[in-house]
Amino acid sequence: AGGDTLFANVKLAYEQLPAALLSRIDDLTIVHTTALAEPRMPRVASEHRLAFTHPATGETVLYCSPRHFEKFVGMDAAEGERLCRELELQIARPEISYRHVWQPLDFVVWDNIKLQHARTHFDPGHRRHMRRIQIAADDADVERQEKPQRPCRS
């Protein structure tokens, strides 16, 4: 009724990338924006490494969200779109994904750096009610150890 939640393990996605694709992405910087997902809201964008070290575990993870993708820094727009679609296919593979079908009183906890998530479409006439709690031991966030996230200047 209110949409399922899809989870994809971006640590496994990175580890299982074909060698040719892995060599293309290791030094890329990606720009994500809210403008695509929330066009009526003010545009907020940030750039960060595409593949980065998880601050708590030291594992390399991949962070590419087609819903928020704007561009890869220094890459032709058409080539960037193709690469984003190619990465999306790797991230969304069923063998590294989980679909949660919500039931009343469900409580789900996940690592928001290692697992990328998205909701499925749902009937807008149905009411969605959820609470989000973010827990952090320190200021660690997506790759803050390696390169601070910063506003995009485009």
Side-chain angles (χ1 to χ4, degrees):
D4 300 341
T5 301
L6 308 172
F7 295 94
N9 188 322
V10 291
K11 171 201 170 278
L12 291 177
Y14 178 81
E15 288 176 350
Q16 297 172 11
L17 287 176
L21 183 53
L22 193 59
S23 67
R24 289 172 49 204
I25 68 159
D26 265 342
D27 293 321
L28 287 180
T29 298
I30 190 169
V31 177
H32 281 114
T33 180
T34 58
L36 302 172
E38 301 292 339
R40 292 169 289 174
M41 302 296 288
R43 178 184 180 275
V44 176
S46 64
E47 50 180 77
H48 52 85
R49 297 257 326 258
L50 174 62
F52 61 89
T53 303
H54 189 301
T57 67
E59 300 162 318
T60 302
V61 296
L62 184 63
Y63 186 57
C64 180
S65 170
R67 185 172 178 207
H68 300 285
F69 173 77
E70 183 172 281
K71 66 181 180 178
F72 289 107
V73 175
M75 184 180 286
D76 170 74
E79 182 183 357
E81 289 287 336
R82 283 191 301 274
L83 178 56
C84 182
R85 283 193 300 275
E86 190 174 356
L87 291 170
E88 178 183 18
L89 292 174
Q90 295 294 323
I91 291 168
R93 290 179 300 124
E95 60 269 22
I96 61 170
S97 300
Y98 166 70
R99 181 181 190 133
H100 188 79
V101 179
W102 291 95
Q103 301 297 319
L105 303 177
D106 275 359
F107 181 82
V108 177
V109 177
W110 68 90
D111 180 334
N112 209 39
I113 295 174
K114 194 184 293 188
L115 296 177
Q116 188 167 295
H117 67 283
R119 68 165 171 78
T120 61
H121 294 287
F122 63 95
D123 180 344
H126 287 111
R127 183 169 181 248
R128 297 182 81 218
H129 180 81
M130 54 190 156
R131 304 265 184 199
R132 180 178 178 162
I133 301 170
Q134 193 163 337
I135 302 169
D138 54 30
D139 290 335
D141 198 347
V142 176
E143 70 143 345
R144 292 221 193 278
Q145 293 177 341
E146 295 181 26
K147 180 179 178 184
Q149 206 172 37
R150 62 182 184 271
C152 180
R153 299 179 211 23
S154 59

